């Protein structure tokens, strides 16, 4: 799901403009373009193109878009196969260069917050930031005082333009939060446990006390899904059009919102489910359990894909970052941990918090927000793809009530916090992706554009059964079936059609085809093959020896066993 | 010439001798008869030399044996004359000449000197010079040990003389027989040792134990002192067993059982039995302290020994419970002995060194124990004093040897408390007042012999320990059981399992509690809340936290184990009960048959979570997703990885730039709409050359298309 973003040339907003303290990052001096050796072509007017030829592309940018892992060795291939492979590799390279070149069009840069020498950014208050930024950005910081209807859960639409929130005492509202235009406001007269936009801002799923309800953007109830009862948490998988619901009864239910069918209802066998998040990279649902484990689910499997023991106490909150690399969990043992999701599921960092985090959220650029009581802490990582370092908070903010919901707004440097006293929209510089994909999630799209997009998205809907831990598994051959079919074929035919035929010497004229010479020729071929084999094995031997030698050098001492 | 040469050689010889004499310069003189023998020899030599003078005439003349006055003129012997033939007589000319006077004088001088013989005489050797040597010689002489000839002592010589040939033969035969028997026995033992049947060994061991028990019982009736020795041995064996911790859960068998115990009831039972055995073995033998005597003694003791003394003991020993127990026992003994002890003189104490005290005391304790039990069993209605008397009698008669041996055995034990030791000494003295002198001498022997004897007994005891472990049951241990169990908390049946799991758990625990540095937050969350709703929630939270289970890890490990078990490939059992053997209810096919028809599935690849203790990864195949995967390799590819490489790049517009997407999806042939495409004619295929170009076909990438491709295009389209 990582894709190059097509650029829309509308004014961008997410960046926080600068004052003395908060300053825009200095533009990197552009590398002077290399002059080509080609002779500058003269135009009719006699003017010379100072930069002839295509623009050069930095290698590291192009590498980002590479798909073929050339480190993996291929078995020896024939010339025909080799040519096909070469064509594929050349194509891939060309495409990656094209994608890298289009990076140029991503003009916007992420915002940031930088303290003066030795100043802790966590000490900068929201008021300071608001004071420093431009008016448009300052308008994004606001508080909604809604003390009447209890703690709020909130959700931003995928484009980041709309905000929906639901209070525990039944208050549900959606609004275009940028313009502050209220779209609808209703009271469902029932406890609202969670609220979530579906694929567009036109549809809204609300987990109410008994059943799951779906409303449109005018507050009209479209559906009441009774098969999803006592839902505590909602997640929407936009590419699969699946609404995942976790219920008090311990069921994880997948509802296909495009056809209104329940795709899977999985029993987690772990009691009440009230901690859920999605992995945006592979659409796997993460559930936190009271026994300290986090389980990973796919609708295609009845059992969890993986189970990770994260905490000694129960798990209170889980969040996965947008690249699907890191997972943050907080438990009843007051710990906050970051796990690596790339195969090993090992903790990368841990931190004990004074009160333990009840809510966690990752921003698009990897900032981690944690709601602890009435305080929100935000941690930032060192680089782009690094996990948030838990040493020093990036920002902290105290609210007027206990945090009940956290959500980073996509494409805006804003963190929405739902709490007892209503909704707070915080400014978090550098949280969001500055460049949006105009065809994918355009915050400024018209109704017509939205409809067009909807059709396209529905046509591109990914089947639910394709959800698995590695989303690229689809580009792999089903080896087991392949082997099975091959075996069956051999059985059917009675011989292996792909087996190499033994060498049969051609008959020759003039008595040269005597039995002795035939045998000799056969022998020759056999010997040649044998020599090839020996040569190959000899070539492999030094490699093996090297392999062997390495561990010898770093031979562990007997005392190493005590090292943990 | 000949004569002259011989004479010269003789001269040289004598001169050499003289020189040697001079160099020796030894004042020692040989004995008379020795000198005579020497003279004779010399004489013979001389005669020979003279006889050899006349060259060829070597005929030996018969010697005359009887005296006769007749002397032949050819044969001159000096026998009859009684005179010695002297060299000088021969050397000298018939008429003395003045020129030889110097030589003669020299010869005389030589003669006057006494020759020294080598090796020196025995007496000379025997002379002890240093005081140490003198001492050694003294000792050797006293013991009639051979000093100079170290091969045989006079006793041995006598015995050699005493043994006749027949006797020697018999003795040798006996020895041979003994050796053969030994080798047979060894071979048998080796063979028996090799027997692997556990049952056999169990039965054997039980039999041995029973036998030993019976013998012990018999011995106790017949010879109480020896029985006492046995008892000591048993105790020692128990100690050894305890030290080796053979019945703890550390053995191979125990470990395997511990694993199985979870699932197998029998294994669990066996394990519990084992633990019970361990407990039993680790229990220390107890004196029969429930007798009335000791209670009395305790009262007396309170008067006799001041509290301060006991306190000191405690301090010296520290918290070691074993030592503590020993002391208490020691003091108990004192109590028993006290009435007798008081009148006895204490003079011996001072002379005795501390080392002897303890063993004596211990021995005393054991003796007392034994005697007490015996007396109790007899239920004699005798008074206490009478008992004491009876107790003392066997000691006097036989306990001395036992004592010395025991002392040797336990000499190495630490002497911690001197007070109690001294008191013990006094008690011992009372008993052994008569035999005082003997032990002091006997003491030296054990010192020399200590090592081998000790080792020997140890070996024996080890042997015994295996057999006689049941005998401990016999010994009453009325008190202190609670103490014992406290000391060995490992005896709990659950202990082995816990221990084993810990190994695994530590890792996980570390994992879960890594680097828990607390955050330094600027805004500490406020805990004070106005809303009662919030308070309620906080309370709930706190309760939850309080009950957050510690058994999380155990549960998880269990779950993982189950998952691993479930994912393992199952073996296929094709046995048909009743085939080739008797059928019917409750009949199981034989193990051999089952083994034969069991098809073992090969082990699959290692699990992905093999090295990840905190993760369970589902290894099941996602069949639904597999349905979308390619399952047939297209033509030029021979390996799936080759094909995978060509489909790695996505071609959709979602993942590519517009241009790239267009390029990737370009059709190879693009036709103009509305244009007619005619069927192929023969000339198009190449039968007749045609130069007409096809205008309907627009090639997108004419450069890229090969010539063959162009031909192909031409084939397809005709204008």
């Amino acid at each position: 799901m990582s894709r190059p973003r097509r650029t829309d040339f509308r004014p961008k907003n997410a960046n926080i403009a600068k004052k003395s303290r908060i300053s825009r990052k200095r533009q990197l001096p552009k590398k002077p373009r290399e002059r080509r050796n080609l002779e500058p072509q003269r135009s009719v007017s006699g003017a010379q193109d100072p930069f002839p030829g295509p623009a050069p592309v930095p290698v590291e940018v192009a590498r980002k878009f590479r798909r073929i892992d050339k480190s993996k060795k291929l078995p020896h291939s024939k010339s025909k196969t080799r040519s096909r492979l070469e064509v594929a590799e050349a194509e891939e390279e060309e495409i990656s260069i094209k994608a890298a070149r289009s990076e140029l069009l991503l003009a916007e840069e992420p915002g940031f917050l930088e303290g003066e020498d030795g100043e802790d950014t966590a000490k900068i208050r929201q008021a300071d930031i608001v004071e420093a930024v431009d008016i448009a950005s300052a308008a994004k910081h606001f508080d909604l005082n809604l003390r009447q209807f209890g703690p709020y859960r909130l959700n931003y639409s995928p484009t980041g333009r709309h905000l929906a929130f639901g209070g525990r005492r039944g208050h549900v509202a959606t609004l275009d939060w940028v313009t502050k235009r209220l779209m609808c406001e209703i009271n469902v007269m029932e406890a609202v446990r969670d609220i979530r936009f579906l694929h567009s801002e036109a549809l809204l799923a609300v987990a109410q006390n008994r059943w799951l309800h779906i409303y449109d953007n005018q507050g009209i109830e479209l559906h009441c899904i009774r098969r999803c009862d006592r839902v505590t948490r909602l997640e929407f998988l936009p590419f699969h059009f699946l609404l995942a619901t976790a219920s008090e009864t311990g069921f994880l239910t997948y509802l296909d919102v495009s056809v209104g069918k329940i795709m899977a209802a999985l029993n987690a066998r772990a009691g009440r489910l009230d901690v859920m998040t999605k992995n945006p990279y592979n659409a796997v649902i993460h559930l936190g359990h009271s026994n300290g484990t986090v389980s990973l689910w796919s609708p295609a499997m009845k059992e969890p894909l993986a189970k990770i023991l994260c905490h000694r106490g129960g798990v209170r909150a889980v969040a996965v970052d947008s690249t699907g690399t890191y997972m943050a969990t907080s438990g009843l043992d007051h710990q906050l941990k970051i796990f690596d999701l790339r195969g090993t599921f090992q903790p990368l960092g841990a931190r004990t918090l004074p009160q333990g985090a009840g809510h966690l959220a990752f921003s698009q650029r990897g900032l981690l927000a944690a709601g602890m009581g009435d305080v929100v802490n935000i941690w930032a990582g060192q680089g782009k793809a690094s996990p948030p370092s838990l040493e020093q908070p990036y920002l902290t903010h105290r609210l007027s009530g206990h945090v009940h919901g956290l959500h980073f707004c996509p494409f805006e440097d804003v963190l929405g916090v739902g709490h007892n006293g209503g909704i707070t929209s915080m400014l978090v510089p550098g949280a969001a992706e500055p460049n949006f994909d105009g065809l994918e999630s355009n915050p400024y799209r018209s109704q017509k554009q939205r409809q067009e997009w909807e059709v396209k998205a529905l046509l591109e809907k990914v089947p639910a059964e394709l959800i698995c831990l590695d989303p690229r598994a689809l580009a792999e051959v089903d080896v087991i079936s392949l082997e099975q079919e091959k075996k069956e074929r051999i059985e059917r035919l009675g011989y292996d059609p792909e087996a190499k035929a033994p060498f049969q010497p051609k008959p020759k004229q003039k008595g040269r085809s005597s039995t002795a010479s035939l045998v000799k020729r056969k022998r020759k071929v056999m010997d040649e093959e044998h020599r090839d084999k020996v040569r190959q094995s000899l070539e492999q031997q030094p490699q093996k020896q090297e392999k062997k030698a390495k561990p010898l050098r770093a031979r562990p001492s007997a005392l190493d066993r005590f090292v943990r | 010439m000949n004569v002259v040469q011989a004479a010269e050689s003789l001269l040289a010889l004598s001169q050499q001798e003289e020189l040697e004499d001079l160099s020796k310069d030894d004042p020692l003189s040989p004995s008379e008869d020795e000198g005579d023998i020497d003279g004779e020899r010399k004489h013979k030599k001389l005669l020979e030399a003279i006889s050899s003078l006349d060259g060829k005439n070597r005929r030996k003349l018969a010697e005359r044996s009887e005296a006769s006055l007749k002397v032949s003129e050819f044969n001159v012997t000096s026998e009859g004359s009684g005179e010695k033939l002297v060299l000088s007589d021969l050397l000298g000319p018939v008429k003395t000449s003045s020129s030889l006077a110097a030589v003669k004088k020299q010869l005389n001088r030589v003669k006057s000197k006494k020759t020294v013989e080598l090796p020196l005489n025995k007496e000379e050797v025997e002379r002890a010079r240093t005081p140490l040597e003198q001492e050694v010689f003294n000792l050797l002489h006293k013991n009639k040990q051979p000093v100079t000839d170290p091969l045989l002592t006079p006793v041995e010589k006598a015995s050699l003389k005493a043994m006749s040939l027949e006797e020697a033969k018999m003795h040798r035969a006996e020895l041979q027989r003994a050796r053969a028997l030994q080798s047979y026995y060894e071979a048998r033992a080796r063979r028996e040792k090799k027997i692997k049947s556990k049952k056999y060994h169990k039965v054997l061991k039980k039999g041995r134990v029973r036998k030993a028990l019976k013998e012990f019982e018999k011995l106790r009736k017949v010879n109480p002192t020896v029985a006492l020795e046995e008892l000591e041995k048993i105790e020692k064996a128990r100690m050894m067993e305890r030290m080796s911790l053979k019945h703890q859960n550390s053995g191979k068998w125990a470990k395997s059982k511990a694993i199985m115990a979870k699932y197998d009831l029998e294994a669990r039972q066996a394990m519990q039995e084992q633990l019970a055995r361990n407990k039993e073995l680790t229990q220390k033998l107890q004196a029969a302290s429930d007798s009335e005597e000791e209670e009395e003694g305790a009262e007396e003791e309170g008067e006799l020994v001041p509290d301060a003394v006991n306190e000191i003991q405690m301090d010296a020993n520290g918290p070691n419970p074993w030592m503590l127990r020993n002391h208490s026992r020691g003091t108990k003994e004192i109590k028993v002995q006290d009435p007798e002890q008081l009148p006895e003189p204490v003079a011996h104490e001072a002379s005795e060194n501390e080392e002897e005290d303890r063993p004596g005391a211990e021995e005393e304790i054991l003796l007392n124990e034994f005697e007490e039990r015996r007396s109790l069993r007899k239920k004699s209605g005798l008074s206490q004093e009478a008992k004491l008397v009876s107790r003392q009698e066997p000691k006097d008669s036989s306990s001395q040897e036992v004592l010395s041996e025991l002392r040797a055995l336990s000499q190495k034990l630490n002497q911690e408390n001197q007070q109690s030791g001294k008191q013990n000494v006094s008690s011992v003295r009372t008993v052994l007042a008569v035999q005082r002198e003997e032990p002091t001498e006997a003491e030296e022997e054990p010192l020399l012999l200590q090592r081998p004897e000790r080792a020997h007994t140890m070996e024996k005891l080890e042997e015994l320990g295996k057999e006689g472990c049941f005998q401990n049951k016999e010994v009453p241990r009325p008190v202190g059981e609670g103490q014992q169990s406290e000391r060995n908390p490992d005896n709990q049946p659950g202990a082995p399992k816990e221990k084993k799991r810990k190994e695994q758990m530590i890792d996980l625990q570390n994992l879960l509690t890594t680097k828990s540095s607390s955050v330094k937050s600027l805004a500490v969350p406020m805990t004070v809340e106005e809303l009662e709703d919030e308070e309620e929630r906080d309370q709930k939270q706190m309760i939850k936290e309080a009950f957050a289970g510690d058994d999380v890890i155990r549960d998880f490990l269990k779950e993982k184990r189950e998952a691993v078990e479930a994912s393992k490939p199952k073996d296929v059992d094709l046995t048909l009960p009743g085939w080739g053997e008797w059928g019917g209810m409750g009949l199981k096919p034989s193990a051999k048959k089952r083994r034969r028809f069991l098809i073992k599935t090969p082990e699959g690849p290692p699990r992905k979570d093999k090295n990840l203790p905190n993760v369970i990864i589902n290894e099941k195949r996602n069949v639904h997703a597999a349905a979308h995967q390619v399952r047939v390799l297209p033509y030029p590819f021979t390996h799936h990885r080759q094909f995978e490489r060509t489909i790695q790049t996505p071609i959709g517009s979602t993942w590519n730039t517009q241009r790239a997407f267009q390029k990737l999806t370009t059709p190879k042939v693009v036709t103009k709409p509305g244009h007619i495409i005619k069927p192929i004619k023969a000339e198009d295929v190449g039968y007749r050359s045609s130069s007409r170009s096809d205008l309907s076909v627009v090639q997108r990438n004419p450069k890229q298309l090969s010539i063959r491709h162009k031909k192909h295009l031409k084939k397809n389209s005709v204008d």
Side-chain angles (χ1 to χ4, degrees), chain A residues 5-297:
Chain A
R5 285 184 179 73
R6 275 153 278 173
T7 327
D8 196 301
F9 294 103
R10 287 185 210 213
K12 260 309 294 188
N13 33 26
N15 296 303
I16 285 150
K18 45 273 105 201
K19 239 182 124 190
S20 62
R21 195 151 52 177
I22 303 150
S23 57
R24 185 175 275 274
K25 198 188 269 173
R26 205 149 298 293
Q27 288 249 330
L28 285 170
K30 286 203 173 157
K31 286 176 190 165
R33 288 187 181 180
E34 291 171 31
R35 288 210 77 144
R36 294 290 170 99
N37 284 342
L38 297 167
E39 278 293 308
Q41 288 175 347
R42 289 190 176 276
S43 62
V44 181
S45 62
Q48 234 176 339
D49 183 6
F51 307 112
V57 177
V59 182
E60 57 270 17
V61 179
R63 196 179 293 139
K64 199 166 66 177
F65 298 101
R66 285 293 177 91
R67 312 275 181 167
I68 292 174
D69 183 11
K70 278 185 180 160
S71 67
K72 275 182 192 165
K73 276 257 173 184
L74 280 185
H76 179 74
S77 43
K78 288 176 189 166
S79 62
K80 210 167 211 175
T81 321
R82 215 179 300 134
S83 67
R84 288 280 287 268
L85 286 170
E86 275 161 13
V87 166
E89 275 161 22
E91 226 166 40
E92 183 240 6
E93 192 175 355
E94 199 187 339
I95 287 163
S96 68
I97 284 171
K98 273 186 177 148
R101 196 161 280 146
S102 71
E103 285 263 285
L104 196 79
L105 303 173
L106 306 176
E108 298 291 337
E109 285 185 13
F112 62 95
L113 190 62
E114 208 170 59
E116 281 165 0
D117 291 338
E119 196 190 1
D120 192 359
T121 50
K123 280 181 185 161
I124 301 170
R125 289 176 296 130
Q126 282 292 304
D128 297 335
I129 295 171
V130 168
E131 211 174 281
V133 296
D134 59 335
I135 304 167
S137 298
K140 286 169 190 164
H141 170 67
F142 60 89
D143 273 307
L144 296 180
N145 280 322
L146 306 162
R147 295 220 158 259
Q148 203 180 347
F149 293 110
Y152 280 88
R153 298 278 303 170
L154 80 168
N155 183 237
Y156 288 99
S157 69
T159 57
R161 189 67 194 260
H162 300 272
L163 172 67
F165 51 87
R168 193 193 274 161
R169 292 184 178 84
H171 178 212
V172 172
T174 60
L175 71 158
D176 182 347
W177 69 273
V178 181
T179 59
K180 316 284 190 306
R181 190 170 60 82
L182 190 67
M183 288 162 74
C184 73
E185 187 169 21
I186 49 171
N187 197 319
V188 296
M189 305 303 287
E190 207 177 3
V192 170
R193 292 222 181 90
D194 201 0
I195 189 163
R196 195 131 309 232
F197 276 115
L198 298 189
H199 55 278
S200 72
E201 59 272 15
L203 290 169
L204 184 69
V206 179
Q208 294 180 15
N209 194 27
R210 270 196 94 179
W211 294 310
L212 174 69
H213 294 256
I214 290 179
Y215 298 89
D216 77 346
N217 55 1
Q218 277 149 11
I220 299 165
E221 187 185 314
L222 299 178
H223 301 287
C224 169
I225 297 147
R226 293 188 187 179
R227 283 191 62 189
C228 303
D229 61 330
R230 305 206 156 268
V231 174
T232 53
R233 285 287 179 272
L234 294 170
E235 275 300 341
F236 186 70
L237 309 172
F239 297 100
H240 305 81
F241 284 86
L242 287 176
L243 180 69
T245 62
S247 71
E248 265 180 3
T249 53
F251 274 88
L252 170 66
T253 315
Y254 286 90
L255 174 71
D256 190 333
V257 294
S258 64
V259 292
K261 198 176 137 194
I262 285 180
M263 299 305 289
L266 311 170
N267 190 355
R269 291 196 191 82
R272 181 189 150 98
L273 304 173
D274 53 358
V275 180
M276 176 162 79
T277 192
K278 72 174 175 200
N279 185 341
Y281 172 65
N282 54 14
V284 165
I285 292 288
H286 292 225
L287 292 177
H289 303 295
S290 58
N291 60 357
T293 58
V294 170
S295 54
L296 279 56
W297 294 85

Side-chain angles (χ1 to χ4, degrees), chain A residues 323-564:
Chain A
T323 61
T325 316
Y326 307 113
M327 174 175 75
T329 62
S330 84
L332 282 175
D333 54 357
H334 290 201
Q335 288 223 324
L336 174 63
K337 287 185 180 179
I338 310 266
F339 283 83
D340 188 355
L341 287 182
R342 291 168 293 188
T344 59
F345 305 105
Q346 296 302 303
L348 298 171
R351 186 106 213 175
T352 306
L353 303 172
Q355 208 187 330
H359 298 272
L360 292 171
F362 265 109
S363 84
Q364 279 178 327
R365 295 191 75 243
L367 268 64
L368 174 65
M372 305 168 288
D374 58 349
V375 167
V376 173
N377 267 18
I378 295 155
W379 290 276
Q382 252 78 38
K384 173 98 196 347
S386 64
S389 61
L390 302 175
E391 297 301 315
Q392 201 85 45
Y394 175 64
L395 270 181
T396 52
H397 185 58
R398 188 186 290 278
L399 303 154
S400 57
H402 266 247
V403 177
H404 198 66
L406 280 177
H407 200 243
F408 274 103
C409 179
F411 309 112
E412 296 281 2
D413 285 347
V414 162
L415 170 66
V417 185
H419 51 87
N420 280 359
I423 303 284
T424 299
S425 175
M426 273 176 69
L427 291 183
V428 184
E433 201 56 59
N435 301 293
F436 56 84
D437 186 341
L439 292 176
E440 193 58 46
S441 46
N442 184 355
Y444 306 105
R445 67 188 171 191
S446 62
Q447 197 180 3
K448 196 76 192 161
Q449 276 174 322
R450 196 192 76 208
Q451 285 164 359
E452 288 276 331
W453 168 83
E454 211 167 339
V455 171
K456 277 181 185 159
L458 278 169
L459 287 173
E460 285 175 356
K461 189 179 94 168
V462 184
E465 61 257 31
L466 282 180
I467 296 174
C468 55
L469 277 178
D470 180 16
R472 301 199 67 189
L474 195 63
E476 282 166 10
V477 176
D478 182 8
V479 183
I480 295 168
S481 303
L482 188 73
E483 298 283 321
Q484 181 68 23
E485 243 159 64
K486 202 174 167 185
K487 217 165 59 187
E488 278 169 10
R489 190 160 168 236
I490 290 167
E491 213 165 276
R492 212 178 322 121
L493 293 173
Y495 69 97
D496 187 4
E498 282 157 30
K500 198 185 163 194
F503 173 71
Q504 203 61 45
K506 279 179 191 165
K508 299 218 171 170
Q509 299 281 311
K510 290 185 181 172
R512 281 191 291 156
S513 200
S514 69
T515 321
S517 76
L518 279 182
V519 169
K520 214 188 251 171
R521 262 147 62 197
K522 263 190 191 174
R523 179 100 238 146
K524 230 182 185 172
V525 173
M526 260 169 69
D527 286 347
E528 187 54 46
E529 277 171 0
H530 182 70
R531 251 172 266 136
D532 278 347
K533 258 186 209 167
V534 169
R535 219 169 283 139
Q536 269 186 2
S537 70
L538 278 176
E539 275 168 20
Q540 281 169 358
Q541 261 179 358
Q543 289 174 0
K544 272 183 190 173
Q545 276 173 354
E546 271 174 33
K547 270 179 198 170
K548 272 180 192 171
K550 266 183 188 173
L552 269 177
R553 245 177 281 140
R555 194 171 190 164
S557 83
L559 295 176
D560 281 354
R561 76 188 65 176
F562 302 110
V563 176
R564 289 229 176 254

